[in-house]
Amino acid sequence: MQRRQAFKYELKPTGEQQRNLRRYAGSCRFVYNKALALQQANHAAGEKFIGYVAMAAKLPVWKREAGQAWLKDSPSQALQHALKDLDKAYQNFFAKRADFPRFKRKGSGDRFRYPDPKQIKLDQRNNRLFLPKLGWIRYRNSREVLGELRNVTVSGKGGKWFVSIQTQREVEQPTPTATTSIGIDLGIARFATFSDGTWLAPLNSFISYTKRRPRSAKTTRWCSSKICR
């Protein structure tokens, strides 16, 4: 069966890469908030909800708007995925699985994703990762990444940056362990009759029965603390 797993590491960016990480996270936050504001204004005007495809078509226009040319410096797919995150947030709200989407604040949950594995390169031997617009960036390799790379999410917290590498691989499906069970039928003539054919005498004669029979783990298990000494 297919198993998806995420491997998280701390990044070791250079000074320039740190600045770019902040810029890219800020660009994705800006796009998310701009799209959310547009959705709210659209709703207030009585218009229909803007789906992801229509919203993504506005992204090239925003890049050409005055004072927003800096959006061109950020990875395009990361910006597009920010719009997908907003669309997913709305779908969860419509399905009553989450609250209404909120605007993102600087320094609160800074993150962005590279969804296309073809644009990503992983060099585990040299503890480095290639990401579009960032180039080769080093990370603290604490364990081996297993499986085929699917996507990469970069996040910042407390002045540090981290990378979550999601992979997919084939694993064996666990087989249930066979267990043996024995049924018990309680009665008068026989105190207990087991499905394997063995039985215990009625309670009144059970005391004398246990005195005559050597102690065993099987017998003791069915005795009460008041009967067995």
Side-chain angles (χ1 to χ4, degrees), residues 27-36 59 62 71 79 82-83:
S27 297
C28 290
R29 182 176 61 253
F30 175 86
V31 167
Y32 183 98
N33 289 341
K34 188 176 181 66
L36 178 55
L59 191 54
W62 295 346
L71 286 175
L79 298 178
L83 297 177

Side-chain angles (χ1 to χ4, degrees), residues 175-216:
T175 55
T177 305
T179 58
T180 302
S181 59
I182 299 178
I184 303 176
D185 182 23
L186 301 180
I188 299 177
R190 294 180 177 181
F191 176 69
T193 302
F194 300 94
S195 59
D196 61 357
T198 59
W199 56 278
L200 296 178
L203 185 60
N204 291 336
S205 60
F206 189 67
I207 298 177
S208 58
Y209 171 80
T210 54
K211 289 182 178 178
R212 295 194 306 269
R213 182 174 178 178
R215 292 173 179 256
S216 67

Side-chain angles (χ1 to χ4, degrees), residues 16-216:
E16 181 180 358
Q17 288 174 333
Q18 280 187 333
R19 290 188 291 272
N20 286 333
L21 287 168
R22 290 193 294 267
R23 288 171 57 197
Y24 301 162
S27 297
C28 290
R29 182 176 61 253
F30 175 86
V31 167
Y32 183 98
N33 289 341
K34 188 176 181 66
L36 178 55
L38 181 58
Q39 290 282 20
Q40 292 182 350
N42 193 62
H43 176 73
E47 301 293 336
K48 294 182 179 180
F49 174 78
I50 305 174
Y52 164 73
V53 176
M55 189 67 79
K58 299 179 181 297
L59 191 54
V61 179
W62 295 346
K63 292 180 179 180
R64 293 194 297 268
E65 290 181 356
Q68 296 178 184
W70 46 270
L71 286 175
K72 299 178 183 179
D73 298 331
S74 299
S76 296
Q77 290 193 349
L79 298 178
Q80 294 169 2
H81 200 273
L83 297 177
K84 286 186 177 181
D85 285 342
L86 178 62
D87 186 76
K88 183 178 180 180
Y90 264 104
Q91 298 307 323
N92 288 334
F93 169 72
F94 294 148
K96 299 182 179 180
R97 294 190 296 263
D99 296 331
F100 191 82
R102 298 180 179 180
F103 290 99
K104 293 187 176 183
R105 296 178 300 174
K106 182 178 180 180
S108 177
D110 287 339
R111 58 190 296 147
F112 57 95
R113 174 173 291 187
Y114 292 96
D116 188 0
K118 296 180 181 179
Q119 295 186 349
I120 306 166
K121 298 177 184 178
L122 178 61
D123 182 7
Q124 297 191 70
R125 178 174 297 182
N126 294 306
N127 309 326
R128 61 179 188 164
L129 180 70
F130 181 87
L131 299 173
K133 299 281 187 174
L134 282 170
W136 287 103
I137 183 171
R138 295 194 173 277
Y139 66 97
R140 297 187 184 278
N141 192 355
S142 55
R143 57 173 174 163
E144 182 183 2
V145 175
L146 303 176
E148 180 184 357
L149 195 150
R150 303 300 300 171
N151 58 69
V152 165
T153 300
V154 178
S155 59
K157 185 176 181 181
K160 295 183 178 181
W161 290 92
F162 303 87
V163 60
S164 180
I165 304 173
Q166 188 177 74
T167 65
Q168 179 176 293
R169 71 181 189 274
E170 189 74 24
V171 296
E172 293 185 3
Q173 187 170 2
T175 55
T177 305
T179 58
T180 302
S181 59
I182 299 178
I184 303 176
D185 182 23
L186 301 180
I188 299 177
R190 294 180 177 181
F191 176 69
T193 302
F194 300 94
S195 59
D196 61 357
T198 59
W199 56 278
L200 296 178
L203 185 60
N204 291 336
S205 60
F206 189 67
I207 298 177
S208 58
Y209 171 80
T210 54
K211 289 182 178 178
R212 295 194 306 269
R213 182 174 178 178
R215 292 173 179 256
S216 67

